[in-house]
Amino acid sequence: MDSAFSMSEPFLVTGAPHASAYYPRDFAWFYPDVLDPETIMDSQDAVRRARLLEKSVRLMLEAVRANVVTTTIVPAGRARYLGVNYFSRPSDTLLGILAGLQQMISAEERASPYLAMSQCARAGRLLLAQYGGDLKRAILQLASELEPFNDDGARYLLCDARAPRSAATDTRAERRRFVTNACVYTTFVWSVQLEIVDENELKRLLGRDLAQYKRDLFRLFGKDGYIRHSLDTPTGSAVSSVALDFVSVQRGFWDLNDANERALFAATTDLIIAEPRFRIPGTFHFLVSADNPRNKMIHKIAAPAYQGRSSWPTFNVEFADRMLDYDEFSGGDTYRAWAQGILKDIRTATEVHGGYQELISEQGLKYRTWAYKSAVAHSWFPRFLSVWSRAFGTPLLHWND
């Protein structure tokens, strides 16, 4: 935790060797529980986290004000930064910014002994008031960029109908991906919840309300009875058509209180669980996909399994959390043992490898190639701890228990 939340950093970083670049999307995907009181060590740790989160969110908002909405922000000298698109334009950068703001504003909602949480909530409300107009402009711009896509006589709106858009799995060279469009929908929903945008403004641009927009996405990507990862890949076996990032983001796309969504989630989950090629043998480490995808050329050469036959602990954590959602709303214990198995194996990997890994190879080792070395992602660790508490009903406080 000391390494993850050092106040000497200009923003919240993933960890070595990626510490020089800043990825706004991480606040939606990897940092949603930075302020979870159960994972905070003491009042000093609380202050560090709150202040670092505020610095990080303010920097992202300054970029939006300057019309810079990119996948990556790179330091370029003293207090200077450049916005760079990592391979393609983002689908989830605004989502990450909203997630960071949302986390700040809701900091005082959970019982906490730390004064820093209420101070962080006030700072979040001030940032929202200060930069709300800039966010509204950027979100409406995103809505205006959606493009029509026709399928079986029906007309849909996609963010990546003609060209790939970046998301957390952005090295996959595919268009018409479920996860990118789920991120855009969630951006719109959170912007309405935060009262940045009125839903009627979005409805005028989209030609449909948000509920219909979401139903359309499920009808398009779930027409085979499970969530197909991309419409830009050849139709093959069901197992080859799904990917682990379908779980999307915390409190994001999925509403497993809805019976239809539960059915689609369960069908996709069952495909993944039943396929041996989706797992590191003898473990509950699920790979991103059963096969390596069509990659950008640089990744074909340098890190071919980066977003394919490798296991990302953080995606597995979200998989476990959605499983727990399913059981909570279905009133059963269909997936709890699977969720617990996932988390136990991530705990073991963290102990064995001496830190929380960005990704693990299909042999169960740290993922590394001649050109790439997986990061030790310390700042992603609190999210794991939060889901552990949910799965087992008790915090993971003592590593030797």
Side-chain angles (χ1 to χ4, degrees):
M1 296 304 184
D2 289 339
S3 174
F5 305 114
S6 168
M7 282 304 296
S8 64
E9 298 286 358
F11 46 74
L12 228 170
V13 301
T14 290
H18 302 339
S20 62
Y22 184 26
Y23 307 95
R25 65 178 174 230
D26 287 3
F27 287 84
W29 282 97
F30 308 137
Y31 303 148
D33 282 322
V34 166
L35 300 183
D36 181 354
E38 283 191 353
T39 75
I40 294 174
M41 297 184 294
D42 51 36
S43 59
Q44 186 178 13
D45 185 29
V47 168
R48 287 203 314 268
R49 294 195 199 192
R51 289 181 179 172
L52 187 56
L53 182 59
E54 181 183 355
K55 282 203 307 184
S56 301
V57 172
R58 184 181 295 277
L59 177 58
M60 293 189 292
L61 289 169
E62 283 290 339
V64 173
R65 175 163 287 180
N67 291 316
V68 177
V69 180
T70 55
T71 65
T72 315
I73 297 173
V74 181
R78 185 174 179 82
R80 293 183 65 246
Y81 300 90
L82 297 175
V84 179
N85 278 327
Y86 184 66
F87 292 111
S88 56
R89 297 169 61 215
S91 66
D92 54 359
T93 286
L94 289 170
L95 179 66
I97 296 170
L98 294 181
L101 264 177
Q102 192 178 62
Q103 185 172 180
M104 290 181 68
I105 292 168
S106 63
E108 59 188 356
E109 293 179 2
R110 290 190 279 194
S112 169
Y114 306 117
L115 178 62
M117 297 300 102
S118 58
Q119 294 172 336
C120 189
R122 286 195 296 274
R125 290 191 289 269
L126 287 172
L127 287 174
L128 180 57
Q130 184 178 357
Y131 294 95
D134 304 295
L135 282 170
K136 178 177 180 177
R137 171 181 45 77
I139 290 163
L140 293 178
Q141 175 64 35
L142 176 63
S144 71
E145 293 172 354
L146 301 187
E147 298 175 329
F149 176 72
N150 297 314
D151 183 76
D152 291 337
R155 185 176 183 272
Y156 302 91
L157 286 176
L158 299 179
C159 71
D160 55 353
R162 289 188 293 178
R165 292 286 288 255
S166 170
T169 45
D170 63 358
T171 66
R172 300 177 72 110
E174 300 146 333
R175 302 169 298 165
R176 304 163 193 163
R177 295 172 64 201
F178 173 76
V179 66
T180 53
N181 289 282
C183 285
V184 170
Y185 164 83
T186 308
T187 301
F188 297 153
V189 169
W190 287 0
S191 71
V192 172
Q193 291 173 351
L194 288 167
E195 299 182 349
I196 295 168
V197 177
D198 187 282
E199 185 173 353
N200 287 326
E201 295 178 275
L202 290 168
K203 185 176 180 179
R204 283 194 293 271
L205 284 171
L206 302 177
R208 64 206 74 187
D209 61 25
L210 291 179
Q212 183 61 50
Y213 176 43
K214 186 180 187 182
R215 285 194 295 270
D216 288 347
L217 293 178
F218 274 127
R219 187 166 68 239
L220 180 62
F221 289 96
K223 62 184 178 181
D224 296 320
Y226 58 87
I227 297 299
R228 186 173 169 188
H229 168 70
S230 170
L231 307 180
D232 193 30
T233 54
T235 302
S237 69
V239 167
S240 296
S241 300
V242 298
L244 194 63
D245 62 7
F246 88 97
V247 296
S248 195
V249 293
Q250 184 207 32
R251 294 191 306 272
F253 186 80
W254 288 95
D255 174 12
L256 294 180
N257 191 37
D258 182 287
N260 293 324
E261 293 193 31
R262 281 203 307 275
L264 277 172
F265 174 84
T268 313
T269 295
D270 291 347
L271 279 173
I272 292 171
I273 286 175
E275 174 53 56
R277 290 187 300 130
F278 247 109
R279 262 193 285 174
I280 297 174
T283 76
F284 288 85
H285 290 302
F286 289 92
L287 308 180
V288 178
S289 57
D291 305 296
N292 285 334
R294 184 170 72 237
N295 281 332
K296 305 285 186 180
M297 182 55 69
I298 188 172
H299 285 91
K300 287 181 182 178
I301 298 169
Y306 182 73
Q307 296 287 7
R309 291 195 55 77
S310 60
S311 174
W312 288 59
T314 190
F315 290 152
N316 277 267
V317 165
E318 296 307 318
F319 194 26
D321 198 45
R322 294 304 89 70
M323 288 177 170
L324 297 172
D325 285 341
Y326 181 95
D327 283 0
E328 176 183 333
F329 290 114
S330 67
D333 276 323
T334 305
Y335 296 118
R336 178 168 295 275
W338 289 95
Q340 291 177 336
I342 287 169
L343 297 167
K344 286 178 180 177
D345 278 351
I346 292 173
R347 171 183 176 168
T348 299
T350 305
E351 293 172 331
V352 168
H353 297 306
Y356 192 79
Q357 296 302 303
E358 179 189 14
L359 68 166
I360 300 169
S361 76
E362 61 181 309
Q363 291 79 34
L365 306 173
K366 292 183 181 182
Y367 184 79
R368 64 176 68 195
T369 69
W370 65 271
Y372 184 84
K373 181 180 179 182
S374 165
V376 179
H378 299 305
S379 55
W380 299 1
F381 190 59
R383 175 62 178 151
F384 161 74
L385 293 177
S386 298
V387 178
W388 177 284
S389 292
R390 183 184 185 193
F392 293 97
T394 184
L396 179 58
L397 294 177
H398 304 293
W399 286 92
N400 293 321
D401 284 357

